[in-house]
Amino acid sequence: MARANEKVEALLQEYADLIAISGGDSFKARAYEKAARAIGGHPADVAGLDVKGLREIPNVGKSIAEKIVEYLGTGHVPDIEARRAAVPAGVRALTAIPGLGPRKALVLYEELGVSSVEQLEQAIHEERLRDLKGFGEQTEQNILHGISVLKKADGRILLGAAMDIAEQIVAEMERVPGCVRCTYAGSLRRMRESIGDVDVLVAADRSAPFMTALAELPLVADVIAHGAKKTSVRTGTGLQVDLRVLPPASWGAGLQYFTGSKAHNIRTRALAVRQGLKLSEYGVFDAESGKSLASETEEEVYARLGLPWIPPTLREDRGEVAAGLKGELPVLVAEGDIRGDLHTHTDLTDGLASLEDMVAAAAARGYAYYAVTDHAPDLAMQRMTEEKILAQREQLRALDRTVRGMRLLHGTELNIGPDGGLDWPDGFLAGFDVCVASVHSHFGQSRAAMTRRFIRACENPHVAVIGHPTTRRIGRRPGVDADFDAVFEACARTGTALEINAHPERLDLGDEDILRAKRYGVKFAVNSDAHATTHLPYLRYGVGTAQRGWLTKDDVINAWPWTRLHRFLRDKRARA
C-alpha cells in the first residue's frame, strides 16, 4: 500500500484551496500549502507519527499536526468538511481548469451563476465575462485554452502516480505461487507523460490465482470485470488496472502486443504480412502453414521480423521500424548513464530538506557530481539575498571536502524576467559553478515577447541550462506561447542546454519538443528539480522522456564525465 503521506498531502492542499476560494486568510492558505508539500516530500511514512513527531517536519505546526492525527485516526476533519460544505461544488470544479484561480472561479459563480465547465464555455462564447472586473478578451482565450488542456487530461493520471500503483501490483503478483514473470505494459511501459489505464501482464500456467489476488488487493476499490483471461479493477484513486495472464511460451509476443502503441503494432503487423507472416499477441506464425516461429521473448519476435529489439519508449511509429531495418536505432540514454543532477533545491528557499540531507541522498545514488541550485532573489517569496547564497556556498565548499567520490557544484536557479533579464549581475553570476535560468511568471506575454525573453537568457554567457522551458504543468497549466524553433536555434548557437525536467508534473521539455530541438543540435540536461530527498528518484521519468525523444548519452550533458561537462560550462562562459 502507498504511504499515508500522499493522502494527507492531498487533504491539506484541498484545505488550502478551499480557504483561498472562500476568501480566507491568504497566509493561512499558504501555510497549508507549505505543510502539504512538506508531508508529500517527507521520506518517512507519517501514519505512525503523533502530534509531536509531525511537528518535527518543517512547516507543520501544532494545529496542522492535530488535524493530520485526527484524519489518520478517523478519516474525517470537521473543519475541512465544514469548508467543503460552504463552497459550492461547481466552484471547486472550475478551479480544476488550468490557469483559472480560486478567486476568479468564485467571481464567476457569484456574478454569473457559472458552476460548471460547460456553463463557463457558454458564457465565454456569449462574451459575458468581459463585463467583469479583472476579465477580458485575453482572459477568455486563456480560460478556453485551459479548458482544452483539462479535457485532454480527463480520466488520465500522471506517469509517476501510475508507476507507483503498477509497481505495487507487480510486486504483489510476483508473490503469487506459479508466477513465472510479471511486469506492466501499455503506455506506462512506453513512459507516456499521462496514463489512461495500467496493463499488467503475468506469465503463468494457471490464471485463476492471479485474478483472485488482484481483486482482493487493499488498493482495489471496485472490480469491473472478473474473468479467466482478463480481470479489470479500479483503484481508490480511480485508475483502471487490467490484468492478463499469458502462457509462458507466449510471453514475448504478448508483451510486445500489449506494450503497443497501436500505431507501432500496425506497422509491425504490416511488416509481417509482407514477409508472409502473421503477428499477434500469441506469436509470429507462418501465414500459410500456421506454424509458430517465435513467441517466447520480445527479442525473438522482433528478430523474426528482421528487426533488432526496439526499446518500448520508441514504439510510437515515429520511424523506429524503418530505423531498425536500416540498423540505425540509437543507443538510448539510460538512467545508469546519468552522472549527476544539475537542478535541485534545499530548505534555504522552497525545498524541504537541508543541504546536508540533499547531498547525502545524492551521494547515495552514486553520482559523480551534484549541483544545488536554490532560487535567486526575483522570486521574492523565497527571500534570497547575496549574503544567504554566499553563506550556502561556504557551507557547500566545506561539505565538498568531506564527501568522497562526488564533486559538489554551487549553482542557482535564476528567474528570467519579462524582458529576459536575470536576478543578479554578471559579475556576481561568475561566482557560480552552474546557472539554470527559468521562467516563473508573466506566462501570458505575447509570442514575440516570450521568444525574445528566452533568447536573451540564452545569450547570457553565465546561463548553462534553460530550466523547464515551456513552463507547463501537465493537466494544470499549459505551456507558454513562444517560437520555440527560434529558441532551439538560439540554444544551439549559444551552447545553452535545454532541461528535461523530470518532475512528473512537468516532464518539460516533452518528447515532441525534444525531437525538434535535437534537429538543431541542442544539448540537454535531465534534472530532477528535487525539492526533497524523495524527489531525486524522479530522474527516471526524465530519462524515460529523453528516450522518447531519441536521445543518446552524447546528447545529455549530465551523462558526461566531469571533465567534458566542465569544458561545456567553461566554453559557454567563453562566448561572452
Side-chain angles (χ1 to χ4, degrees):
M1 288 295 291
R3 298 182 307 153
N5 300 44
E6 287 78 11
K7 292 182 179 180
V8 173
E9 179 184 16
L11 182 80
L12 297 180
Q13 183 59 57
E14 180 191 5
Y15 194 35
D17 292 342
L18 290 170
I19 293 169
I21 291 171
S22 58
D25 185 343
S26 60
F27 290 101
K28 184 176 182 179
R30 180 68 176 155
Y32 276 89
E33 285 181 2
K34 289 182 177 180
R37 291 181 58 250
I39 293 295
H42 190 61
D45 193 329
V46 300
L49 298 180
D50 58 12
V51 170
K52 182 180 178 181
L54 288 166
R55 291 192 66 186
E56 293 178 2
I57 301 172
N59 299 313
V60 177
K62 183 173 182 289
S63 176
I64 295 175
E66 288 173 346
K67 286 183 174 64
I68 294 172
V69 170
E70 185 175 22
Y71 173 68
L72 293 174
T74 68
H76 303 283
V77 180
D79 286 353
I80 297 178
E81 291 175 356
R83 287 271 185 180
R84 285 174 180 159
V87 175
V91 177
R92 295 174 62 195
L94 294 179
T95 60
I97 299 171
L100 184 63
R103 296 289 175 84
K104 285 189 173 180
L106 188 60
V107 169
L108 290 170
Y109 178 79
E110 292 178 339
E111 298 293 331
L112 301 179
V114 170
S115 60
S116 70
V117 174
E118 292 74 19
Q119 289 176 0
L120 180 54
E121 284 185 290
Q122 182 178 347
I124 291 174
H125 292 313
E126 293 172 356
E127 299 183 356
R128 290 193 285 138
L129 272 64
R130 299 183 187 185
D131 295 330
L132 300 177
K133 184 179 179 180
F135 291 81
E137 186 175 353
Q138 185 60 51
T139 306
E140 291 177 343
Q141 295 306 310
N142 292 342
I143 292 173
L144 285 175
H145 187 59
I147 291 172
S148 174
V149 171
L150 179 67
K151 288 182 175 179
K152 288 179 182 177
D154 187 37
R156 302 183 69 83
I157 72 169
L158 298 181
L159 171 62
M163 186 68 76
D164 286 344
I165 291 172
E167 289 183 336
Q168 289 179 60
I169 291 175
V170 167
E172 293 295 335
M173 294 301 103
E174 287 177 336
R175 294 189 182 98
V176 177
C179 178
V180 178
R181 303 185 70 170
C182 180
T183 192
Y184 51 83
S187 57
L188 182 60
R189 188 171 180 232
R190 302 199 313 276
M191 298 292 276
R192 290 283 302 271
E193 64 192 35
S194 65
I195 309 299
D197 52 57
V198 168
D199 295 291
V200 174
L201 304 182
V202 168
D205 293 320
R206 295 177 61 242
S207 66
F210 299 92
M211 303 306 186
T212 300
L214 176 67
E216 292 177 351
L217 288 180
L219 58 76
V220 171
D222 181 39
V223 178
I224 302 170
H226 192 298
K229 293 185 177 180
K230 175 183 173 183
T231 290
S232 297
V233 300
R234 185 171 288 109
T235 70
T237 60
L239 179 66
Q240 181 171 324
V241 179
D242 297 329
L243 171 67
R244 293 175 175 85
V245 177
L246 310 171
S250 299
W251 173 257
L255 183 58
Q256 191 277 334
Y257 178 84
F258 288 111
T259 294
S261 66
K262 181 179 179 180
H264 175 82
N265 286 353
I266 289 172
R267 184 75 61 180
T268 52
R269 287 201 298 271
L271 179 63
V273 169
R274 290 199 298 271
Q275 300 177 40
L277 305 172
K278 179 183 176 182
L279 173 64
S280 73
E281 62 265 45
Y282 301 106
V284 182
F285 301 88
D286 183 282
E288 188 171 326
S289 68
K291 180 183 178 182
S292 176
L293 304 175
S295 63
E296 194 166 348
T297 69
E298 280 193 319
E299 288 80 1
E300 291 174 358
V301 170
Y302 279 111
R304 191 61 187 81
L305 300 177
L307 291 166
W309 179 78
I310 297 177
T313 45
L314 295 187
R315 301 181 197 177
E316 298 290 352
D317 194 30
R318 293 173 174 166
E320 69 277 6
V321 171
L325 291 171
K326 295 176 184 176
E328 297 176 355
L329 280 176
V331 178
L332 299 177
V333 63
E335 188 174 1
D337 294 325
I338 302 299
R339 295 170 181 252
D341 200 329
L342 300 180
H343 182 181
T344 67
H345 298 271
T346 75
D347 59 4
L348 183 63
T349 54
D350 60 346
L352 302 172
S354 67
L355 175 64
E356 293 86 352
D357 286 347
M358 292 299 290
V359 168
R365 292 179 61 81
Y367 287 147
Y369 44 82
Y370 174 72
V372 173
T373 55
D374 275 314
H375 290 288
D378 273 4
L379 291 184
M381 70 181 76
Q382 308 304 341
R383 300 178 180 177
M384 179 56 77
T385 64
E386 290 187 10
E387 291 75 19
K388 285 183 178 180
I389 202 73
L390 290 176
Q392 184 189 62
R393 183 175 299 166
E394 289 303 311
Q395 185 184 5
L396 184 133
R397 298 298 185 228
L399 276 174
D400 196 21
R401 292 190 288 270
T402 67
V403 178
R404 284 190 163 189
M406 184 173 74
R407 183 184 298 268
L408 298 183
L409 308 179
H410 191 235
T412 183
E413 184 183 11
L414 301 162
N415 183 53
I416 304 174
D419 63 351
L422 304 173
D423 309 55
W424 278 312
D426 285 356
F428 192 73
L429 293 180
F432 290 98
D433 298 315
V434 58
C435 293
V436 178
S438 311
V439 168
H440 294 103
S441 63
H442 298 84
F443 302 122
Q445 281 186 309
S446 71
R447 180 180 179 86
M450 187 65 75
T451 303
R452 288 194 299 270
R453 184 178 180 183
F454 277 117
I455 291 176
R456 183 181 174 194
C458 290
E459 290 174 343
N460 186 295
H462 300 288
V463 173
V465 181
I466 299 295
H468 44 76
T470 76
T471 80
R472 73 172 183 173
R473 304 294 291 267
I474 300 170
R476 294 174 56 191
R477 184 174 72 212
V480 295
D481 184 16
D483 180 353
F484 277 103
D485 286 292
V487 175
F488 299 156
E489 187 280 329
C491 286
R493 171 172 53 84
T494 61
T496 308
L498 285 168
E499 181 175 70
I500 300 170
N501 189 295
H503 195 293
E505 291 183 6
R506 291 189 184 273
L507 298 180
D508 183 12
L509 287 172
D511 53 2
E512 292 182 359
D513 284 329
I514 294 169
L515 286 163
R516 286 167 55 203
K518 182 177 180 179
R519 289 195 285 268
Y520 286 88
V522 175
K523 298 299 183 184
F524 303 84
V526 181
N527 297 321
S528 68
D529 193 5
H531 285 64
T533 57
T534 53
H535 295 172
L536 291 171
Y538 286 163
L539 199 81
R540 66 188 293 199
Y541 305 123
V543 170
T545 303
Q547 291 179 345
R548 289 179 59 80
W550 291 56
L551 297 189
T552 69
K553 64 181 180 180
D554 185 61
D555 298 310
V556 178
I557 65 171
N558 54 322
W560 298 348
W562 166 246
T563 51
R564 186 180 177 189
L565 174 61
H566 184 256
R567 186 166 61 249
F568 173 87
L569 298 173
R570 183 194 63 203
D571 289 350
K572 174 65 199 279
R573 285 185 164 150
R575 295 171 184 257

